[in-house]
Amino acid sequence: MANYVLAALAAALLAALSPHLAVAQTSDTAAPATQTPFDRRAAQLVEMMTGNIAFAEYFDPVFQVAIPEAQFKAITTSLIAQYGQPVTVEKATSADGRSGTILLRFEKGVGTVLLDVGAATDERVMGLRLTGFAMAGDNYDKIAADFAALPGQTGFLVAELGQAGVRPLASANPDRQFAVGSTFKLYILDELAAQVAAGKRRWSDVVPLSRFSFSSAGTANWPQDTPVTLQTLANWMISVSDNGATDTLIHVIGREKIEARMRAAGHSNPSRNIPLLTTVEAFALKGNNFNDLRAAFVAGDDHAQRKLIDGNQHRLILNNVDGVSFTAGPRFIDSLEWFASPNDIARLMVDLRARGSTAALAAMAINNGVGPVAATDWRYLGYKGGSENGVLSMSLLAERKSDGKYFVVTASWNNPDANVAIEPLVGLVTRLLALAAQP
């Protein structure tokens, strides 16, 4: 759901796992005496990823705690399935002999890796981050085929945003309604920016942190009614997908006003999101504590659903969220979620850009979702992702450096029958972004 911050999760995942690209030599090659710790570990990267060097020998204990060996193996297995086997380190560059950049060639392309070697005498690796990937001979048809091969339902859109509106460059299922998790928070940001533009609010307005929710990276354990600015709440909501900040903003600016903004921004089926659930309401309804209420909610029309939510405000709170319910697989992602099609997201990005709000665009740029290498060809990258069990979504608003043109890249993956892994979607979206960067 909205709580599992896709952007933060992707950043943590990619920071932990990372292929390196550096010198084309193996660990049993005699190393010149002038080699640095970075050179030596970069040269071993291919063997590490293929299991020929022990995980505990290569990585520092700090890394091993953050990314256990089983998790690392799952990540590398997914990478190899998507890009083929790692072949060689093509280039390794370091200014200080400890940290630097590697170009790692796989069978299907080249990845950019950031490698950090610890200061201890054993020279074990403290940080490994895959920050970008260039596929050999890539094109939109290949990416569409890779999307179609994923289990469940997928859709994406790459489009230029111009004077005439949205000009699609490539897409798959662009009008299908997908569960998008925290991506819905862009509608909240858009309405907040609209209220500021109308003079009804200021970004510097201070309000109490009045709502608490499940999975709130920024506001967890904060005291009730802590004073915070609207801009702080917006930054938390977008950059780390904080749910307490989100629910506070919904109550401050108004649920029905956000719904109206969603309609005005061109959502093709707004009833799917009316009433607009707060994150804690959605988590509560999905859990086992509200089986009877959930059935009535799903069966009701917009009016009946709103009446049910309004009449149970005292019950739909964090203390009543059954967290155990979310430890298994997907839960009601076809009926209890926030929904949008790729085209809906594109129209929303048009609305956000037209709003001309420096603060709103800055909030979206705090976490660009794809890392520094993928951002190289872009003057601006604004991002919001969303995830829960069975749901992943990534959406970017991008200004191209070469000509100042704006684009939207958005993709969603739903599977009601099983959890979905983040690595394949990050890889596919990064490839879409790389193609869109080409004039």
Side-chain angles (χ1 to χ4, degrees), residues 17-65:
L17 114 99
S18 302
H20 271 75
L21 308 133
V23 260
Q25 65 183 133
T26 59
S27 62
D28 58 359
T29 300
T34 55
Q35 271 201 331
T36 66
F38 172 82
D39 292 331
R40 286 188 284 275
R41 288 305 187 183
Q44 295 173 334
L45 188 56
V46 171
E47 290 184 276
M48 149 51 38
M49 293 190 66
T50 53
N52 294 318
I53 294 178
F55 180 81
E57 175 190 329
Y58 193 81
F59 289 110
D60 185 89
V62 172
F63 185 98
Q64 295 179 46
V65 170

Side-chain angles (χ1 to χ4, degrees), residues 84-99:
Q85 290 289 336
V87 176
T88 188
V89 170
E90 291 192 342
K91 183 180 179 182
T93 306
S94 173
D96 61 6
R98 291 282 178 181
S99 300

Side-chain angles (χ1 to χ4, degrees), residues 2 36 89 131 137 139 171 250 276 279 292 294 334 345 393 400 416:
T36 66
V89 170
T131 60
N139 58 53
S171 67
I250 291 175
L276 186 85
T279 66
D292 55 342
R294 178 175 59 251
D334 292 331
I345 297 299
S393 178
R400 197 161 59 187

Side-chain angles (χ1 to χ4, degrees), residues 3 5 8 213-222 236 239-244:
N3 285 70
V5 185
S213 185
F214 194 58
S215 181
S216 297
T219 63
N221 302 317
W222 279 56
W236 275 335
S239 66
V240 297
S241 217
D242 186 277
N243 288 327

Side-chain angles (χ1 to χ4, degrees), residues 225-265:
D225 295 332
T226 296
V228 289
T229 68
L230 293 178
Q231 188 166 7
T232 298
L233 291 172
N235 288 346
W236 275 335
M237 175 179 72
I238 300 300
S239 66
V240 297
S241 217
D242 186 277
N243 288 327
T246 299
D247 289 0
T248 295
L249 280 174
I250 291 175
H251 283 274
V252 168
I253 66 180
R255 191 195 307 260
E256 294 188 16
K257 286 184 170 59
I258 299 166
E259 295 166 357
R261 178 59 51 198
M262 177 179 59
R263 296 189 194 95

